[in-house]
Amino acid sequence: DQKLELARPNRALVRMLFALVAVAIGISVFFSTLLNIWEANLALNSLIILGLISGIAYCFVKVFELRIAVNWLTSYAHSQDEATLAAAPNILVPMARLIRYDHQGKPLLFPHLANGILDSVEGRLAEIRDISGYMRNLLVFLGLLGTFWGLILTIQGVLQAIDGLDLANQELVDAFTTMKDNLQKPMQGMATAFGTSLTGLGGSLILGFFDLQLGRAQNN
């Protein structure tokens, strides 16, 4: 009997683990700089980082589920047991529902059922990729949201600094000191704009690599 051989996503897992180690090393090397960027807007940057961690964890979970599905499919192809079919993993549940058995306990697979099985599995895999892609785009969106938020704070701070400047009643040195103090708020706004933008784009870049490995594992 010919044995079914399917590509297991082990290489994708190895590449993802290496990428995770590389990210950890990069964070440790540039920790002080990244900490300053993060402190520019704790709430929004923390939300972006939480989304990045959730996205990476999601990709790992789905690759592990894919590995389980491949192992189950190989086992079922060898045994063709109805009890094994009932324990199909989540990705292959639609496929398991389309398989029927004859009176001798042998699985029946007609051409139209085969097309339905392929479509059902493809739909499940596409749904997984859609969710991971959405999480990647969400990081970019949060970064842009922080950019516009920071620009609004900058404009408001500049207007307040100009309004607070009184050259008629203040000495020149005191006027510049006041203006320097009033410019702290717009500078914080600029830090928010660039900090959240860098965090969002960097997180999207990192998550994009894990999403790419998930897609390659599914294609294999």
Side-chain angles (χ1 to χ4, degrees):
D1 293 339
Q2 293 182 348
K3 292 185 177 181
L4 177 66
E5 295 294 339
L6 296 175
R8 289 174 170 79
N10 296 330
R11 292 184 179 180
L13 282 173
V14 170
R15 287 191 291 266
M16 292 169 70
L17 288 174
F18 273 115
L20 203 59
V21 172
V23 170
I25 293 175
I27 292 175
S28 63
V29 171
F30 301 102
F31 181 76
S32 59
T33 302
L34 295 175
L35 183 61
N36 292 331
I37 295 175
W38 175 62
E39 290 177 343
N41 191 312
L42 294 177
L44 197 53
N45 285 334
S46 297
L47 185 61
I48 294 174
I49 293 173
L50 180 62
L52 173 61
I53 295 174
S54 301
I56 293 175
Y58 178 82
C59 290
F60 269 103
V61 168
K62 292 307 174 182
V63 172
F64 275 112
E65 287 183 357
L66 187 62
R67 189 171 186 270
I68 294 173
V70 169
N71 292 335
W72 177 89
L73 191 58
T74 304
S75 175
Y76 174 73
H78 297 161
S79 65
Q80 296 185 355
D81 183 39
E82 192 169 359
T84 304
L85 185 66
N90 185 50
I91 298 177
L92 299 178
V93 166
M95 182 208 77
R97 292 174 178 172
L98 293 175
I99 296 179
R100 297 292 182 266
Y101 285 81
D102 59 12
H103 62 281
Q104 296 179 347
K106 294 182 179 181
L108 298 175
L109 189 60
F110 300 102
H112 69 281
L113 285 180
N115 293 331
I117 288 173
L118 292 176
D119 291 339
S120 66
V121 175
E122 182 182 4
R124 283 299 179 94
L125 297 180
E127 179 183 351
I128 293 173
R129 291 298 308 279
D130 288 342
I131 294 175
S132 62
Y134 172 80
M135 298 180 73
R136 186 179 69 250
N137 294 331
L138 179 62
L139 299 184
V140 178
F141 169 78
L142 291 175
L144 291 176
L145 179 63
T147 300
F148 291 112
W149 184 2
L151 290 176
I152 292 174
L153 294 177
T154 301
I155 295 173
Q156 290 177 346
V158 170
L159 292 176
Q160 291 176 2
I162 294 174
D163 292 338
L165 189 61
D166 188 5
L167 296 177
N169 300 321
Q170 285 183 318
E171 295 291 337
L172 187 59
V173 176
D174 294 336
F176 275 107
T177 302
T178 302
M179 185 175 183
K180 179 181 176 181
D181 294 337
N182 291 337
L183 285 176
Q184 293 298 320
K185 185 175 181 180
M187 294 305 296
Q188 291 176 358
M190 292 298 293
T192 297
F194 288 105
T196 53
S197 180
L198 285 173
T199 306
L201 291 176
S204 177
L205 178 64
I206 295 172
L207 185 56
F209 178 82
F210 289 92
D211 182 42
L212 176 63
Q213 300 309 313
L214 174 60
R216 294 183 63 180
Q218 289 180 346
N219 292 335
N220 290 337

